[in-house]
């Protein structure tokens, strides 16, 4: 209702800069309004961007038109809690309609928007999820701005499974132990952070079978240390998401 009252139309891009829990809610709100949700990544050129029509944030975003920002302050959150949840959902015009945008470095190091259609989302999260979700329970350390992070969330929702939120270091280890995770995916940098946290806490791998590295090439020395420490199979998925 807040999105609709602000003037968000079907097909417009709504970017979030909010805590993860609100990202999940806003993702569904955009689906409800047949809009295109995305995370506003740090470092993305906000001013004058043709990619983004609206910004939803907990604080004003510098460089973006104030009349195109929806600020989730206390008053707005109270309004949401009292709102009418019976709005009729708007429909995307076709299966090929874009419903979400993720960002890739595009091998350049700069955020690059990649549109995802309903058709693509279904293909990745239902038809071909066994190709990347190699075993379950499954844990992904990447956030919603990435293809892997977003499709992990959506696959969990579509298949009615528990979604374990991205965490780092000791928090990631705690999640892996608590939920009996057997497959974990992270970037090489995140695995490099995970390893010393595991050594410090005495974590030896638990039930991990595949360890998956994504987003960049996994250095051999890091792969060797992960294998020696956890005794798990290493899988590397490194490709250009925009292709």
């Amino acid at each position: 209702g807040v999105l609709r009252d602000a003037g968000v139309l079907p097909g417009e891009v709504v970017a979030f800069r909010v805590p993860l829990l609100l990202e999940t809610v806003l993702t569904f709100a955009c689906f409800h309004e047949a809009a295109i949700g995305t995370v506003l990544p740090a470092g993305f050129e906000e001013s004058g961007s043709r990619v983004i029509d609206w910004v939803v944030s907990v604080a004003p975003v510098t460089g973006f038109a104030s009349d195109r920002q929806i600020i989730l302050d206390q008053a707005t959150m109270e309004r949401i809690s009292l709102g009418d949840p019976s709005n009729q959902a708007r429909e995307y015009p076709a299966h090929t309609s874009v419903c979400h945008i993720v960002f890739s470095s595009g091998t350049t190091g700069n955020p690059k928007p990649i549109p995802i259609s309903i058709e693509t989302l279904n293909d990745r999260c239902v038809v071909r999820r066994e190709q990347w979700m190699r075993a379950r329970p499954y844990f992904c350390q990447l956030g919603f701005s990435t293809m892997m992070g977003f499709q992990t969330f959506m696959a969990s929702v579509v298949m009615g499974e528990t979604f374990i939120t991205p965490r780092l270091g000791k928090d990631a280890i705690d999640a892996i132990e608590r939920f009996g995770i057997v497959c974990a995916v992270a970037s090489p940098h995140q695995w490099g952070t995970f390893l010393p946290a595991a050594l410090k806490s005495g974590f030896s791998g638990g039930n991990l079978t595949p360890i998956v590295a994504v987003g960049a090439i996994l250095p051999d020395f890091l792969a060797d240390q992960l294998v020696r420490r956890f005794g798990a199979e290493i899988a590397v998925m490194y490709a250009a998401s925009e292709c």
Side-chain angles (χ1 to χ4, degrees), residues 168-187:
L168 298 174
K170 181 61 166 59
D171 289 339
I173 294 170
D174 291 343
I176 288 171
E177 292 183 315
R178 176 182 176 188
F179 295 104
I181 301 299
V182 297
C183 180
V185 58
S187 69

Side-chain angles (χ1 to χ4, degrees), residues 69-87:
Q69 295 191 49
I70 300 171
I71 306 302
L72 298 182
D73 54 19
Q74 184 175 349
T76 303
M77 296 302 291
E78 289 176 356
R79 177 183 164 205
I80 290 171
S81 69
L82 299 172
D84 180 3
S86 61
N87 284 339

Side-chain angles (χ1 to χ4, degrees), residues 6-211:
V8 174
L9 298 175
E12 291 189 323
V13 178
V14 182
F16 326 135
R17 184 165 283 174
V18 296
L20 180 62
L21 179 59
L22 287 177
E23 285 181 23
T24 65
V25 176
L26 284 165
T27 294
F28 288 125
C30 286
F31 283 146
H32 186 279
E33 294 301 287
I36 303 168
T38 189
V39 173
L40 186 62
F44 184 66
E45 182 57 50
E46 296 137 13
S47 179
S49 169
R50 295 184 179 182
V51 176
I52 294 169
D53 299 298
W54 297 87
V55 167
V56 182
S57 177
V58 293
V61 175
T62 303
F64 200 89
S66 59
D67 62 345
R68 306 291 283 184
Q69 295 191 49
I70 300 171
I71 306 302
L72 298 182
D73 54 19
Q74 184 175 349
T76 303
M77 296 302 291
E78 289 176 356
R79 177 183 164 205
I80 290 171
S81 69
L82 299 172
D84 180 3
S86 61
N87 284 339
Q88 182 67 33
R90 292 166 167 168
E91 294 187 6
Y92 294 94
H95 290 303
T96 53
S97 299
V98 175
C99 61
H100 198 77
I101 291 175
V102 296
F103 284 84
S104 166
S105 68
T107 69
T108 66
N110 296 315
K112 181 178 181 180
I114 303 167
I116 302 173
S117 66
I118 297 171
E119 191 173 58
T120 298
L121 198 61
N122 179 70
D123 180 58
R124 285 177 174 262
C125 296
V126 179
V127 179
R128 294 192 299 113
R129 75 169 185 155
E130 300 298 333
Q131 293 182 12
W132 55 269
M133 193 177 269
R134 294 176 171 234
R136 292 181 298 278
Y138 178 91
F139 174 64
C140 178
Q141 286 190 255
L142 279 75
F144 274 26
S145 65
T146 68
M147 187 70 225
M148 186 65 73
F150 181 69
Q151 70 185 29
T152 294
F153 168 65
M154 289 306 302
S156 299
V157 171
V158 170
M159 305 308 292
E161 298 174 351
T162 300
F163 171 63
I164 300 144
T165 59
R167 306 171 195 190
L168 298 174
K170 181 61 166 59
D171 289 339
I173 294 170
D174 291 343
I176 288 171
E177 292 183 315
R178 176 182 176 188
F179 295 104
I181 301 299
V182 297
C183 180
V185 58
S187 69
H189 174 74
Q190 289 171 329
W191 281 122
T193 303
F194 184 93
L195 190 60
L199 294 172
K200 184 176 180 180
S201 67
F203 177 71
S204 60
N207 298 317
L208 286 179
T209 303
I211 286 177

